[in-house]
Amino acid sequence: MPARVPTPGAPGRARRVWFVCDVLGVACAAGTWVLVLGAAGVLLRTRLLPAGDAAYGLAHGALFHLLAFLALAAHARAMLTDPGSVPRGGAPGGPRCALCGCARPPRAHHCAVCGRCIREMDHHCPWVNNCVGEGNRKHFLLFTLYTALGSLHLLLLLGVPALRGYARGDWDSRSTVTPRASLVFLLLVALKGFLFGSAMFAAQMRAVCSDRARTEQLQGERAGPGGGSKWVNLKAVLGHRPSLAWISPFASPRPQRARAPLRVV
Ligand SMILES: [Zn+2]
Ligand SMILES: [Zn+2]
């Protein structure tokens, strides 16, 4: 049974420390950090520093490390933020979850890993060791966005010269240590990150703009006739007004509206 570490406080007022004690999830989340930090270190040591071009190294190093930092910050927020857990117990009457005993509100679904009902549960993601739901959807969306962008930057930075070098039969000779191994490692990390990030980002944007979490899509639920436009739904997740806070993993949007209940079709 996973354990969480909530601190007392009224929902929406006091911040709660949230961590799911799932061995597989912790291993996957730690692996994500190891891959990103490892790629940043290998890129710096074997590609940028040996290049001997300060401007080239500074520009690409700063861009990649900025994207990696934002991705990891969003990852940490997605992992350590309450995804929208429904308190156990609650007022008597109404539908109750047979598994955790909470008074289940509309659009909440039970997660077997978290052991709780989660509002607007999208899915349980082992890579962030947490559910993706009402409380952390923005952070997960940014994690996938920055993962895709950082991986794309790495693919273009290394993939194009590598293909040219391979065509000439000349692998990059500027690296000081095992150039082929480091290049293959970086390209594999970039390819995996780009495929994962872009696919998950597209899926999340579809869910956000349609105001239907993937759990709701899979179970044949759809928003009622009172659902907003795509723009309204996007603002409900990212924040009321477009600003830099939309792309900041450190900004937490305020609750925007009470959404229309879903109905089964
Ligand atoms: Zn439940
Ligand atoms: Zn979960």
Side-chain angles (χ1 to χ4, degrees):
M1 174 66 70
R4 293 139 299 280
V5 192
T7 55
R13 290 188 176 181
R15 289 179 180 272
R16 306 199 319 161
V17 177
W18 176 273
F19 185 78
V20 179
C21 295
D22 173 52
V23 174
L24 177 62
V26 171
C28 289
T32 302
W33 278 68
V34 168
L35 280 180
V36 174
L37 294 176
V42 171
L43 175 68
L44 198 63
R45 184 183 173 195
T46 69
R47 298 286 141 182
L48 298 181
L49 290 180
D53 185 337
Y56 171 88
L58 194 62
H60 286 292
L63 177 58
F64 181 79
H65 284 79
L66 174 64
L67 292 171
F69 170 74
L70 291 171
L72 291 180
H75 181 279
R77 293 297 307 274
M79 180 171 60
L80 301 175
T81 299
D82 185 340
S85 62
V86 181
R88 292 190 177 93
R96 302 196 78 85
C97 175
L99 297 172
C100 67
C102 74
R104 183 186 287 173
R107 308 194 64 179
H109 294 82
H110 187 86
C111 172
V113 181
C114 293
R116 299 283 289 273
C117 280
I118 307 295
R119 299 177 190 272
E120 296 186 29
M121 175 187 169
D122 189 87
H123 69 291
H124 185 95
C125 178
W127 299 108
V128 297
N129 187 36
N130 202 1
C131 263
V132 178
E134 180 187 67
N136 64 348
R137 175 164 296 148
K138 176 201 169 184
H139 304 309
F140 186 75
L141 186 69
L142 291 184
F143 167 59
T144 60
L145 172 65
Y146 290 126
T147 298
L149 290 178
S151 301
L152 180 62
H153 173 237
L154 202 54
L155 280 176
L156 295 176
L157 177 65
L158 302 176
V160 174
L163 287 176
R164 287 177 179 164
Y166 185 76
R168 293 195 306 265
D170 175 29
W171 285 72
D172 189 351
S173 60
R174 292 174 297 183
S175 178
T176 55
V177 290
T178 58
R180 292 187 185 186
S182 67
L183 183 59
V184 169
F185 168 74
L186 288 171
L187 286 175
L188 286 178
V189 170
L191 188 61
K192 173 183 178 296
F194 180 70
L195 292 176
F196 165 82
S198 57
M200 291 303 296
F201 178 73
Q204 284 302 305
M205 282 298 290
R206 189 161 54 246
V208 167
C209 290
S210 66
D211 193 19
R212 280 202 311 164
R214 286 200 296 165
T215 301
E216 295 167 342
Q217 296 176 23
L218 291 173
Q219 296 187 3
E221 298 170 352
R222 64 178 175 83
S229 66
K230 292 180 180 178
W231 179 242
V232 169
N233 292 335
L234 188 65
K235 288 197 296 183
V237 172
L238 297 180
H240 184 59
R241 294 177 180 172
S243 69
L244 283 179
W246 275 30
I247 57 173
S248 169
F250 303 102
S252 298
R254 295 177 181 175
Q256 295 298 304
R257 68 173 189 270
R259 296 181 178 173
L262 297 185
R263 61 185 173 87
V264 178
V265 294

